[in-house]
Amino acid sequence: MATTVLASIGDHGALNASLPTGLQAVWIDRDLSWLDFNERVLAQSLDERTPLLERAKFLAIFTSNLDEFFMKREAVLRHGTTDAQRTLLQQVREKIMSSLQRQAECYRHVIVPGLAEHEVFLRKWSELTPHQQEEASKYFQSEVSPALTPLVIDPVHPFPFLSNLSTSLVFRLRDVARDESMFARVKVPGTLKQWVSLEADLKPGQKVLVPLYEVIRGNLHTLYAGMEITHITLARLTRDAEVEVDDDPVADFRALVKEQIRQRRYEPVVRLEFCAGADPAITEMLRARFELSPVDIYEMQEELDYTTLFELLGLPLPTLRDTDWTPLWPASLPEGHGGIFAAMQTADLLVHHPYESFDASVEHFISAAADDPQTVSIKMTAYRIGDDTPFVKSLIRAAERGKQVACVMEIKARFDEERNLHWAAELERVGAHVTFGVSGLKTHGKTALVVRKEARGLRCYVHIGTGNYHVKTARLYADVGLLTCDHRITDDVVNLFHYLTGHADQPNFNAILVAPMTMRPRLLDLIHREIQNKRAGKPARIIAKMNQLEDPDMIEALCEASNAGVPIDLVIRGFCCLRPGVPGHTENIRIRSIIGRFLEHSRIFYFANGAQDPADGEYYIGSADWMFRNLSKRIEVVTPIFAAGPRQRLWEILDVCLRDQREAWALDAEGKYDQLHPASGSIGPEANGTHQTLMNLALARAKV
């Protein structure tokens, strides 16, 4: 099977030369495809239809995404020594350089002049008036200087530690009295405001914003009194985040994760960024210090760290932002804070965030269970749950009231380890049962179980979703979730938690799909059933919506289905390793990506199963993308949707996505994405795009 090829190189993607012949014709490298995805993010900044401050936000998101790419993928890409791998590294750099150029041009020609038209001026130190410089210097002395640590780099002083994604001012320092020269460095504190607002010499309604690093640059002389400062260079570095710690089943798991966090801080540098005009001696000194090659050096033409632009979203300019959206109370739930269990007894409920309130549905499900005297136990999986999480607070409250609480905490969720360790300790402190899942597998499923003692005995209630139990991202990510007490699903979820907290070699699941045990074979069976239906003359169709597609087994099956004539539509936001429309391989496959104000995160799978009416087909939702890691290296949960109402809602979502001509990009047979544009006179999803259409539908549903 093709999966063995990918398994042999881990979760590193696969070069065409390593793939079976049948896949080489349709394969797209995952890293190049991921960079294509980030270019689609950048395109939102270049799109004149996007409000100005939202365009600035997408510049920041582009940088944040690219930072993560370097932390996760750059060291992996460097492992290879073949000509093909060296070619891939060069292709990656060329794509990144092209995107960075477009990002800088957008900032220079769109964001800065666009804000100036609205009386908001982004200035460098040299562009400030004397009164503004004086005001900025007073701010520096009171609010910045105490947080700085001026350092020198010479034979007497050790080279300072430069932390991941930190920005520094590095410069030449000369002691005139001793005629001694050295390098020096001042870190720009990431915990302070990155844009300083000034008021001097301004007319009413005007605002001047100057970057924090410019305020520090203009006041460096106060930190090195009597010294000569020249060749000031702004530098930013990125470290690898792929720390490998042995998964020793007899070791202290918490200690292993803490060691992983500690080691990540000191991982090798994989990228150095400098602002335009950097001093060659300084760039060479840092390059040599971190043992980098010239291809690891990036010269930025405008801003060094565009993630600081997130701060601009707080400007009081509502006309330059998307119209505010407040998630609505789900129409299927009773108003107020009671009755959620009665509503679930009446019918299965599908909730769609952020159009419908996460707080009023999923969060309330756990909170109500914690307060309900009939609740016997609450069990949850937790992958990324955020800082001020109401879920853990509800679990703590439930445990303090004597209910049995179990939480399967994934403390190896990358970049969230410390937060999850903290919440694990808080839960254990009140007597909750905290486990860390199955050795060797990350627990990525989004599942919660509530057991209540009712008149007829114990009854189970379940939530299975596509997104994390994270209240902040629930307002930004588009996800779906099922609330049900259908015993066909709840019985399986009970067995799942028995497996996660206890031990079972072969857990039994009849309805839900659980990776790595039953999900891959069941999905392949569903695809092959569509093939048989097509050959038998029955209605056949596959629609799959997910974040990424990379697993070779799934791609091979989709190619087989395409060759059998099964129409296939894939809605894949991020990277996609399958090329559609290739003669003899993927002629019946269409692939699109939707990028807009919300991040498309839901995983929805539809199989016609011989049904003419889409509402009568089979639907599944869950946590897993079709990637090798999701299907073989993680605990993932996907549930069938049995009830007619939720199936109709899922079809509505898929139909909107497939009709979108505003926020959609189509992938062609050459592996290139083309942005779609609505025809003149279009209405509905074609003109408004997925997100606005679904907001409109949510408002209409709420009125009814």
Side-chain angles (χ1 to χ4, degrees), residues 380-384 408 410 442-448 463-469 496-497 500 514-515 519 622-624 630 634-638:
M380 286 186 68
T381 59
Y383 190 72
R384 300 188 195 278
V408 183
E410 182 47 73
K442 282 188 177 181
T443 303
H444 191 249
K446 326 297 184 185
T447 310
H463 170 263
I464 298 177
T466 67
N468 295 311
Y469 293 113
L496 172 66
F497 276 103
L500 292 176
V514 179
M519 188 176 295
S623 59
N630 296 93
R634 292 183 171 187
I635 299 293
E636 302 276 9
V637 180
V638 164

PDB file of all heavy atoms in Angstrom, residues 380-384 408 410 442-448 463-469 496-497 500 514-515 519 622-624 630 634-638:
ATOM      1  N   MET A 380     -14.102  14.177  28.957  1.00  0.00           N
ATOM      2  CA  MET A 380     -13.769  15.015  27.803  1.00  0.00           C
ATOM      3  C   MET A 380     -12.374  14.701  27.300  1.00  0.00           C
ATOM      4  O   MET A 380     -11.504  14.279  28.066  1.00  0.00           O
ATOM      5  CB  MET A 380     -13.799  16.506  28.172  1.00  0.00           C
ATOM      6  CG  MET A 380     -15.158  17.127  28.349  1.00  0.00           C
ATOM      7  SD  MET A 380     -14.997  18.921  28.618  1.00  0.00           S
ATOM      8  CE  MET A 380     -14.402  19.458  27.005  1.00  0.00           C
ATOM      9  N   THR A 381     -12.174  14.932  26.005  1.00  0.00           N
ATOM     10  CA  THR A 381     -10.824  15.007  25.469  1.00  0.00           C
ATOM     11  C   THR A 381     -10.454  16.477  25.372  1.00  0.00           C
ATOM     12  O   THR A 381     -11.318  17.330  25.144  1.00  0.00           O
ATOM     13  CB  THR A 381     -10.725  14.369  24.075  1.00  0.00           C
ATOM     14  OG1 THR A 381     -11.622  15.032  23.170  1.00  0.00           O
ATOM     15  CG2 THR A 381     -11.072  12.886  24.133  1.00  0.00           C
ATOM     16  N   ALA A 382      -9.180  16.786  25.540  1.00  0.00           N
ATOM     17  CA  ALA A 382      -8.733  18.176  25.488  1.00  0.00           C
ATOM     18  C   ALA A 382      -7.435  18.254  24.715  1.00  0.00           C
ATOM     19  O   ALA A 382      -6.421  17.679  25.127  1.00  0.00           O
ATOM     20  CB  ALA A 382      -8.538  18.733  26.895  1.00  0.00           C
ATOM     21  N   TYR A 383      -7.454  18.962  23.588  1.00  0.00           N
ATOM     22  CA  TYR A 383      -6.251  19.118  22.755  1.00  0.00           C
ATOM     23  C   TYR A 383      -5.710  20.540  22.910  1.00  0.00           C
ATOM     24  O   TYR A 383      -4.657  20.744  23.478  1.00  0.00           O
ATOM     25  CB  TYR A 383      -6.572  18.785  21.296  1.00  0.00           C
ATOM     26  CG  TYR A 383      -5.350  18.678  20.421  1.00  0.00           C
ATOM     27  CD1 TYR A 383      -4.488  17.593  20.548  1.00  0.00           C
ATOM     28  CD2 TYR A 383      -5.051  19.647  19.471  1.00  0.00           C
ATOM     29  CE1 TYR A 383      -3.352  17.481  19.753  1.00  0.00           C
ATOM     30  CE2 TYR A 383      -3.923  19.550  18.669  1.00  0.00           C
ATOM     31  CZ  TYR A 383      -3.078  18.465  18.809  1.00  0.00           C
ATOM     32  OH  TYR A 383      -1.955  18.361  18.025  1.00  0.00           O
ATOM     33  N   ARG A 384      -6.430  21.525  22.406  1.00  0.00           N
ATOM     34  CA  ARG A 384      -6.080  22.931  22.640  1.00  0.00           C
ATOM     35  C   ARG A 384      -7.295  23.591  23.275  1.00  0.00           C
ATOM     36  O   ARG A 384      -8.354  23.674  22.655  1.00  0.00           O
ATOM     37  CB  ARG A 384      -5.720  23.636  21.333  1.00  0.00           C
ATOM     38  CG  ARG A 384      -4.534  23.026  20.594  1.00  0.00           C
ATOM     39  CD  ARG A 384      -4.116  23.903  19.418  1.00  0.00           C
ATOM     40  NE  ARG A 384      -3.241  23.195  18.501  1.00  0.00           N
ATOM     41  CZ  ARG A 384      -1.931  23.036  18.669  1.00  0.00           C
ATOM     42  NH1 ARG A 384      -1.364  23.541  19.744  1.00  0.00           N
ATOM     43  NH2 ARG A 384      -1.202  22.389  17.775  1.00  0.00           N
ATOM     44  N   VAL A 408      -9.071  13.429  29.245  1.00  0.00           N
ATOM     45  CA  VAL A 408      -7.935  12.902  28.491  1.00  0.00           C
ATOM     46  C   VAL A 408      -7.217  14.108  27.898  1.00  0.00           C
ATOM     47  O   VAL A 408      -7.661  14.691  26.906  1.00  0.00           O
ATOM     48  CB  VAL A 408      -8.388  11.922  27.398  1.00  0.00           C
ATOM     49  CG1 VAL A 408      -7.174  11.340  26.677  1.00  0.00           C
ATOM     50  CG2 VAL A 408      -9.238  10.811  28.000  1.00  0.00           C
ATOM     51  N   GLU A 410      -4.214  16.076  26.109  1.00  0.00           N
ATOM     52  CA  GLU A 410      -3.082  15.905  25.202  1.00  0.00           C
ATOM     53  C   GLU A 410      -2.036  16.957  25.536  1.00  0.00           C
ATOM     54  O   GLU A 410      -2.121  18.093  25.063  1.00  0.00           O
ATOM     55  CB  GLU A 410      -3.524  16.022  23.739  1.00  0.00           C
ATOM     56  CG  GLU A 410      -2.396  15.804  22.738  1.00  0.00           C
ATOM     57  CD  GLU A 410      -1.565  14.590  23.060  1.00  0.00           C
ATOM     58  OE1 GLU A 410      -2.049  13.460  22.854  1.00  0.00           O
ATOM     59  OE2 GLU A 410      -0.427  14.776  23.550  1.00  0.00           O
ATOM     60  N   LYS A 442      -1.137  10.796  19.682  1.00  0.00           N
ATOM     61  CA  LYS A 442      -1.742  12.024  20.179  1.00  0.00           C
ATOM     62  C   LYS A 442      -3.260  11.875  20.174  1.00  0.00           C
ATOM     63  O   LYS A 442      -3.828  11.306  19.243  1.00  0.00           O
ATOM     64  CB  LYS A 442      -1.340  13.222  19.314  1.00  0.00           C
ATOM     65  CG  LYS A 442       0.050  13.762  19.581  1.00  0.00           C
ATOM     66  CD  LYS A 442       0.282  15.051  18.816  1.00  0.00           C
ATOM     67  CE  LYS A 442       1.644  15.651  19.140  1.00  0.00           C
ATOM     68  NZ  LYS A 442       1.869  16.928  18.419  1.00  0.00           N
ATOM     69  N   THR A 443      -3.905  12.394  21.201  1.00  0.00           N
ATOM     70  CA  THR A 443      -5.367  12.383  21.261  1.00  0.00           C
ATOM     71  C   THR A 443      -5.879  13.686  20.665  1.00  0.00           C
ATOM     72  O   THR A 443      -5.794  14.750  21.278  1.00  0.00           O
ATOM     73  CB  THR A 443      -5.861  12.218  22.703  1.00  0.00           C
ATOM     74  OG1 THR A 443      -5.314  11.019  23.253  1.00  0.00           O
ATOM     75  CG2 THR A 443      -7.382  12.146  22.746  1.00  0.00           C
ATOM     76  N   HIS A 444      -6.416  13.596  19.448  1.00  0.00           N
ATOM     77  CA  HIS A 444      -6.837  14.768  18.693  1.00  0.00           C
ATOM     78  C   HIS A 444      -8.352  14.831  18.530  1.00  0.00           C
ATOM     79  O   HIS A 444      -8.886  15.810  18.031  1.00  0.00           O
ATOM     80  CB  HIS A 444      -6.153  14.751  17.318  1.00  0.00           C
ATOM     81  CG  HIS A 444      -6.296  16.011  16.536  1.00  0.00           C
ATOM     82  ND1 HIS A 444      -7.055  16.105  15.390  1.00  0.00           N
ATOM     83  CD2 HIS A 444      -5.775  17.251  16.731  1.00  0.00           C
ATOM     84  CE1 HIS A 444      -6.992  17.330  14.914  1.00  0.00           C
ATOM     85  NE2 HIS A 444      -6.227  18.051  15.706  1.00  0.00           N
ATOM     86  N   GLY A 445      -9.065  13.767  18.920  1.00  0.00           N
ATOM     87  CA  GLY A 445     -10.517  13.751  18.806  1.00  0.00           C
ATOM     88  C   GLY A 445     -11.160  14.821  19.667  1.00  0.00           C
ATOM     89  O   GLY A 445     -10.630  15.198  20.716  1.00  0.00           O
ATOM     90  N   LYS A 446     -12.330  15.310  19.233  1.00  0.00           N
ATOM     91  CA  LYS A 446     -13.060  16.364  19.955  1.00  0.00           C
ATOM     92  C   LYS A 446     -14.358  15.754  20.477  1.00  0.00           C
ATOM     93  O   LYS A 446     -15.385  15.779  19.801  1.00  0.00           O
ATOM     94  CB  LYS A 446     -13.367  17.543  19.035  1.00  0.00           C
ATOM     95  CG  LYS A 446     -12.311  17.840  17.970  1.00  0.00           C
ATOM     96  CD  LYS A 446     -10.977  18.232  18.524  1.00  0.00           C
ATOM     97  CE  LYS A 446     -10.018  18.596  17.386  1.00  0.00           C
ATOM     98  NZ  LYS A 446      -8.660  18.873  17.855  1.00  0.00           N
ATOM     99  N   THR A 447     -14.306  15.196  21.680  1.00  0.00           N
ATOM    100  CA  THR A 447     -15.407  14.380  22.168  1.00  0.00           C
ATOM    101  C   THR A 447     -15.666  14.649  23.641  1.00  0.00           C
ATOM    102  O   THR A 447     -14.724  14.752  24.437  1.00  0.00           O
ATOM    103  CB  THR A 447     -15.085  12.880  21.978  1.00  0.00           C
ATOM    104  OG1 THR A 447     -14.661  12.654  20.639  1.00  0.00           O
ATOM    105  CG2 THR A 447     -16.295  12.020  22.275  1.00  0.00           C
ATOM    106  N   ALA A 448     -16.939  14.755  24.004  1.00  0.00           N
ATOM    107  CA  ALA A 448     -17.337  14.928  25.400  1.00  0.00           C
ATOM    108  C   ALA A 448     -18.513  14.012  25.701  1.00  0.00           C
ATOM    109  O   ALA A 448     -19.413  13.846  24.869  1.00  0.00           O
ATOM    110  CB  ALA A 448     -17.706  16.379  25.686  1.00  0.00           C
ATOM    111  N   HIS A 463     -21.160  15.032  22.826  1.00  0.00           N
ATOM    112  CA  HIS A 463     -20.806  16.017  21.801  1.00  0.00           C
ATOM    113  C   HIS A 463     -19.597  15.490  21.047  1.00  0.00           C
ATOM    114  O   HIS A 463     -18.604  15.075  21.652  1.00  0.00           O
ATOM    115  CB  HIS A 463     -20.449  17.378  22.410  1.00  0.00           C
ATOM    116  CG  HIS A 463     -19.861  18.337  21.402  1.00  0.00           C
ATOM    117  ND1 HIS A 463     -18.499  18.525  21.242  1.00  0.00           N
ATOM    118  CD2 HIS A 463     -20.452  19.132  20.471  1.00  0.00           C
ATOM    119  CE1 HIS A 463     -18.281  19.398  20.274  1.00  0.00           C
ATOM    120  NE2 HIS A 463     -19.444  19.795  19.801  1.00  0.00           N
ATOM    121  N   ILE A 464     -19.677  15.499  19.718  1.00  0.00           N
ATOM    122  CA  ILE A 464     -18.540  15.193  18.856  1.00  0.00           C
ATOM    123  C   ILE A 464     -18.415  16.334  17.864  1.00  0.00           C
ATOM    124  O   ILE A 464     -19.385  16.682  17.176  1.00  0.00           O
ATOM    125  CB  ILE A 464     -18.715  13.855  18.112  1.00  0.00           C
ATOM    126  CG1 ILE A 464     -18.803  12.693  19.110  1.00  0.00           C
ATOM    127  CG2 ILE A 464     -17.552  13.626  17.138  1.00  0.00           C
ATOM    128  CD1 ILE A 464     -19.051  11.349  18.465  1.00  0.00           C
ATOM    129  N   GLY A 465     -17.226  16.938  17.810  1.00  0.00           N
ATOM    130  CA  GLY A 465     -17.066  18.112  16.962  1.00  0.00           C
ATOM    131  C   GLY A 465     -15.859  18.018  16.062  1.00  0.00           C
ATOM    132  O   GLY A 465     -15.094  17.051  16.087  1.00  0.00           O
ATOM    133  N   THR A 466     -15.697  19.073  15.279  1.00  0.00           N
ATOM    134  CA  THR A 466     -14.555  19.165  14.366  1.00  0.00           C
ATOM    135  C   THR A 466     -13.509  20.144  14.868  1.00  0.00           C
ATOM    136  O   THR A 466     -12.417  20.210  14.297  1.00  0.00           O
ATOM    137  CB  THR A 466     -15.021  19.598  12.963  1.00  0.00           C
ATOM    138  OG1 THR A 466     -15.508  20.954  13.016  1.00  0.00           O
ATOM    139  CG2 THR A 466     -16.124  18.698  12.436  1.00  0.00           C
ATOM    140  N   GLY A 467     -13.828  20.911  15.915  1.00  0.00           N
ATOM    141  CA  GLY A 467     -12.899  21.919  16.418  1.00  0.00           C
ATOM    142  C   GLY A 467     -12.582  21.721  17.879  1.00  0.00           C
ATOM    143  O   GLY A 467     -13.251  20.962  18.590  1.00  0.00           O
ATOM    144  N   ASN A 468     -11.564  22.420  18.350  1.00  0.00           N
ATOM    145  CA  ASN A 468     -11.121  22.291  19.732  1.00  0.00           C
ATOM    146  C   ASN A 468     -12.121  22.917  20.699  1.00  0.00           C
ATOM    147  O   ASN A 468     -12.931  23.767  20.323  1.00  0.00           O
ATOM    148  CB  ASN A 468      -9.753  22.968  19.905  1.00  0.00           C
ATOM    149  CG  ASN A 468      -8.670  22.278  19.097  1.00  0.00           C
ATOM    150  OD1 ASN A 468      -8.529  21.068  19.147  1.00  0.00           O
ATOM    151  ND2 ASN A 468      -7.913  23.052  18.341  1.00  0.00           N
ATOM    152  N   TYR A 469     -12.037  22.494  21.948  1.00  0.00           N
ATOM    153  CA  TYR A 469     -12.853  23.094  23.008  1.00  0.00           C
ATOM    154  C   TYR A 469     -12.176  24.386  23.462  1.00  0.00           C
ATOM    155  O   TYR A 469     -11.608  24.473  24.550  1.00  0.00           O
ATOM    156  CB  TYR A 469     -13.030  22.106  24.162  1.00  0.00           C
ATOM    157  CG  TYR A 469     -13.855  20.897  23.766  1.00  0.00           C
ATOM    158  CD1 TYR A 469     -13.300  19.626  23.699  1.00  0.00           C
ATOM    159  CD2 TYR A 469     -15.204  21.043  23.456  1.00  0.00           C
ATOM    160  CE1 TYR A 469     -14.062  18.522  23.339  1.00  0.00           C
ATOM    161  CE2 TYR A 469     -15.980  19.951  23.084  1.00  0.00           C
ATOM    162  CZ  TYR A 469     -15.404  18.695  23.027  1.00  0.00           C
ATOM    163  OH  TYR A 469     -16.167  17.613  22.662  1.00  0.00           O
ATOM    164  N   LEU A 496     -15.006   4.246  23.875  1.00  0.00           N
ATOM    165  CA  LEU A 496     -13.824   5.036  23.546  1.00  0.00           C
ATOM    166  C   LEU A 496     -13.145   5.543  24.814  1.00  0.00           C
ATOM    167  O   LEU A 496     -11.918   5.418  24.966  1.00  0.00           O
ATOM    168  CB  LEU A 496     -14.214   6.216  22.651  1.00  0.00           C
ATOM    169  CG  LEU A 496     -13.109   7.240  22.385  1.00  0.00           C
ATOM    170  CD1 LEU A 496     -11.979   6.624  21.567  1.00  0.00           C
ATOM    171  CD2 LEU A 496     -13.666   8.474  21.675  1.00  0.00           C
ATOM    172  N   PHE A 497     -13.913   6.104  25.732  1.00  0.00           N
ATOM    173  CA  PHE A 497     -13.301   6.624  26.960  1.00  0.00           C
ATOM    174  C   PHE A 497     -12.771   5.497  27.841  1.00  0.00           C
ATOM    175  O   PHE A 497     -11.749   5.677  28.525  1.00  0.00           O
ATOM    176  CB  PHE A 497     -14.289   7.511  27.713  1.00  0.00           C
ATOM    177  CG  PHE A 497     -14.320   8.927  27.200  1.00  0.00           C
ATOM    178  CD1 PHE A 497     -15.362   9.356  26.390  1.00  0.00           C
ATOM    179  CD2 PHE A 497     -13.301   9.812  27.492  1.00  0.00           C
ATOM    180  CE1 PHE A 497     -15.395  10.652  25.896  1.00  0.00           C
ATOM    181  CE2 PHE A 497     -13.316  11.114  27.003  1.00  0.00           C
ATOM    182  CZ  PHE A 497     -14.363  11.535  26.202  1.00  0.00           C
ATOM    183  N   LEU A 500      -9.438   4.967  26.343  1.00  0.00           N
ATOM    184  CA  LEU A 500      -8.479   6.046  26.553  1.00  0.00           C
ATOM    185  C   LEU A 500      -8.003   6.129  28.003  1.00  0.00           C
ATOM    186  O   LEU A 500      -6.854   6.494  28.261  1.00  0.00           O
ATOM    187  CB  LEU A 500      -9.103   7.379  26.140  1.00  0.00           C
ATOM    188  CG  LEU A 500      -9.387   7.571  24.646  1.00  0.00           C
ATOM    189  CD1 LEU A 500     -10.095   8.891  24.410  1.00  0.00           C
ATOM    190  CD2 LEU A 500      -8.103   7.498  23.830  1.00  0.00           C
ATOM    191  N   VAL A 514     -12.909   5.525  14.513  1.00  0.00           N
ATOM    192  CA  VAL A 514     -11.843   5.925  15.427  1.00  0.00           C
ATOM    193  C   VAL A 514     -10.496   5.560  14.818  1.00  0.00           C
ATOM    194  O   VAL A 514     -10.253   4.400  14.480  1.00  0.00           O
ATOM    195  CB  VAL A 514     -12.000   5.258  16.802  1.00  0.00           C
ATOM    196  CG1 VAL A 514     -10.861   5.683  17.730  1.00  0.00           C
ATOM    197  CG2 VAL A 514     -13.347   5.610  17.426  1.00  0.00           C
ATOM    198  N   ALA A 515      -9.650   6.557  14.646  1.00  0.00           N
ATOM    199  CA  ALA A 515      -8.276   6.296  14.203  1.00  0.00           C
ATOM    200  C   ALA A 515      -7.419   6.029  15.440  1.00  0.00           C
ATOM    201  O   ALA A 515      -7.682   6.589  16.510  1.00  0.00           O
ATOM    202  CB  ALA A 515      -7.734   7.499  13.433  1.00  0.00           C
ATOM    203  N   MET A 519     -10.877   3.902  11.383  1.00  0.00           N
ATOM    204  CA  MET A 519     -11.218   5.009  10.503  1.00  0.00           C
ATOM    205  C   MET A 519     -10.723   4.802   9.073  1.00  0.00           C
ATOM    206  O   MET A 519     -11.495   4.911   8.118  1.00  0.00           O
ATOM    207  CB  MET A 519     -10.682   6.329  11.057  1.00  0.00           C
ATOM    208  CG  MET A 519     -11.186   7.545  10.284  1.00  0.00           C
ATOM    209  SD  MET A 519     -10.650   9.110  11.008  1.00  0.00           S
ATOM    210  CE  MET A 519     -11.499   9.083  12.586  1.00  0.00           C
ATOM    211  N   GLY A 622     -16.094  15.099  11.951  1.00  0.00           N
ATOM    212  CA  GLY A 622     -15.144  14.723  12.989  1.00  0.00           C
ATOM    213  C   GLY A 622     -13.864  15.505  12.949  1.00  0.00           C
ATOM    214  O   GLY A 622     -13.759  16.554  12.305  1.00  0.00           O
ATOM    215  N   SER A 623     -12.863  14.963  13.623  1.00  0.00           N
ATOM    216  CA  SER A 623     -11.626  15.704  13.887  1.00  0.00           C
ATOM    217  C   SER A 623     -10.526  15.441  12.884  1.00  0.00           C
ATOM    218  O   SER A 623      -9.493  16.112  12.920  1.00  0.00           O
ATOM    219  CB  SER A 623     -11.107  15.326  15.288  1.00  0.00           C
ATOM    220  OG  SER A 623     -10.857  13.923  15.358  1.00  0.00           O
ATOM    221  N   ALA A 624     -10.701  14.464  11.985  1.00  0.00           N
ATOM    222  CA  ALA A 624      -9.563  13.983  11.197  1.00  0.00           C
ATOM    223  C   ALA A 624      -9.542  14.523   9.778  1.00  0.00           C
ATOM    224  O   ALA A 624     -10.530  14.444   9.043  1.00  0.00           O
ATOM    225  CB  ALA A 624      -9.579  12.454  11.148  1.00  0.00           C
ATOM    226  N   ASN A 630      -3.071  11.744  10.851  1.00  0.00           N
ATOM    227  CA  ASN A 630      -4.411  11.701  11.441  1.00  0.00           C
ATOM    228  C   ASN A 630      -4.980  10.297  11.437  1.00  0.00           C
ATOM    229  O   ASN A 630      -5.647   9.878  12.389  1.00  0.00           O
ATOM    230  CB  ASN A 630      -5.359  12.629  10.683  1.00  0.00           C
ATOM    231  CG  ASN A 630      -4.952  14.080  10.785  1.00  0.00           C
ATOM    232  OD1 ASN A 630      -4.239  14.581   9.930  1.00  0.00           O
ATOM    233  ND2 ASN A 630      -5.377  14.766  11.826  1.00  0.00           N
ATOM    234  N   ARG A 634      -2.758   9.178  15.356  1.00  0.00           N
ATOM    235  CA  ARG A 634      -3.525   9.950  16.338  1.00  0.00           C
ATOM    236  C   ARG A 634      -4.827   9.235  16.692  1.00  0.00           C
ATOM    237  O   ARG A 634      -5.330   8.433  15.906  1.00  0.00           O
ATOM    238  CB  ARG A 634      -3.868  11.346  15.787  1.00  0.00           C
ATOM    239  CG  ARG A 634      -2.680  12.265  15.620  1.00  0.00           C
ATOM    240  CD  ARG A 634      -3.115  13.633  15.143  1.00  0.00           C
ATOM    241  NE  ARG A 634      -2.034  14.600  15.180  1.00  0.00           N
ATOM    242  CZ  ARG A 634      -2.160  15.895  14.936  1.00  0.00           C
ATOM    243  NH1 ARG A 634      -3.350  16.379  14.619  1.00  0.00           N
ATOM    244  NH2 ARG A 634      -1.135  16.718  15.005  1.00  0.00           N
ATOM    245  N   ILE A 635      -5.332   9.564  17.868  1.00  0.00           N
ATOM    246  CA  ILE A 635      -6.698   9.178  18.215  1.00  0.00           C
ATOM    247  C   ILE A 635      -7.611  10.243  17.632  1.00  0.00           C
ATOM    248  O   ILE A 635      -7.614  11.395  18.075  1.00  0.00           O
ATOM    249  CB  ILE A 635      -6.898   9.077  19.737  1.00  0.00           C
ATOM    250  CG1 ILE A 635      -5.970   8.020  20.347  1.00  0.00           C
ATOM    251  CG2 ILE A 635      -8.359   8.771  20.058  1.00  0.00           C
ATOM    252  CD1 ILE A 635      -6.278   6.605  19.934  1.00  0.00           C
ATOM    253  N   GLU A 636      -8.352   9.871  16.615  1.00  0.00           N
ATOM    254  CA  GLU A 636      -9.296  10.769  15.958  1.00  0.00           C
ATOM    255  C   GLU A 636     -10.687  10.147  16.015  1.00  0.00           C
ATOM    256  O   GLU A 636     -10.828   8.917  16.040  1.00  0.00           O
ATOM    257  CB  GLU A 636      -8.911  10.978  14.487  1.00  0.00           C
ATOM    258  CG  GLU A 636      -7.516  11.528  14.256  1.00  0.00           C
ATOM    259  CD  GLU A 636      -7.437  13.036  14.355  1.00  0.00           C
ATOM    260  OE1 GLU A 636      -8.431  13.646  14.780  1.00  0.00           O
ATOM    261  OE2 GLU A 636      -6.371  13.589  14.005  1.00  0.00           O
ATOM    262  N   VAL A 637     -11.700  11.006  16.018  1.00  0.00           N
ATOM    263  CA  VAL A 637     -13.076  10.527  16.092  1.00  0.00           C
ATOM    264  C   VAL A 637     -13.911  11.190  15.003  1.00  0.00           C
ATOM    265  O   VAL A 637     -13.926  12.413  14.873  1.00  0.00           O
ATOM    266  CB  VAL A 637     -13.702  10.823  17.477  1.00  0.00           C
ATOM    267  CG1 VAL A 637     -15.135  10.310  17.535  1.00  0.00           C
ATOM    268  CG2 VAL A 637     -12.866  10.200  18.590  1.00  0.00           C
ATOM    269  N   VAL A 638     -14.586  10.356  14.212  1.00  0.00           N
ATOM    270  CA  VAL A 638     -15.541  10.809  13.203  1.00  0.00           C
ATOM    271  C   VAL A 638     -16.844  10.084  13.454  1.00  0.00           C
ATOM    272  O   VAL A 638     -16.859   8.871  13.688  1.00  0.00           O
ATOM    273  CB  VAL A 638     -15.018  10.515  11.777  1.00  0.00           C
ATOM    274  CG1 VAL A 638     -16.135  10.617  10.753  1.00  0.00           C
ATOM    275  CG2 VAL A 638     -13.877  11.466  11.420  1.00  0.00           C
TER     276      VAL A 638
END
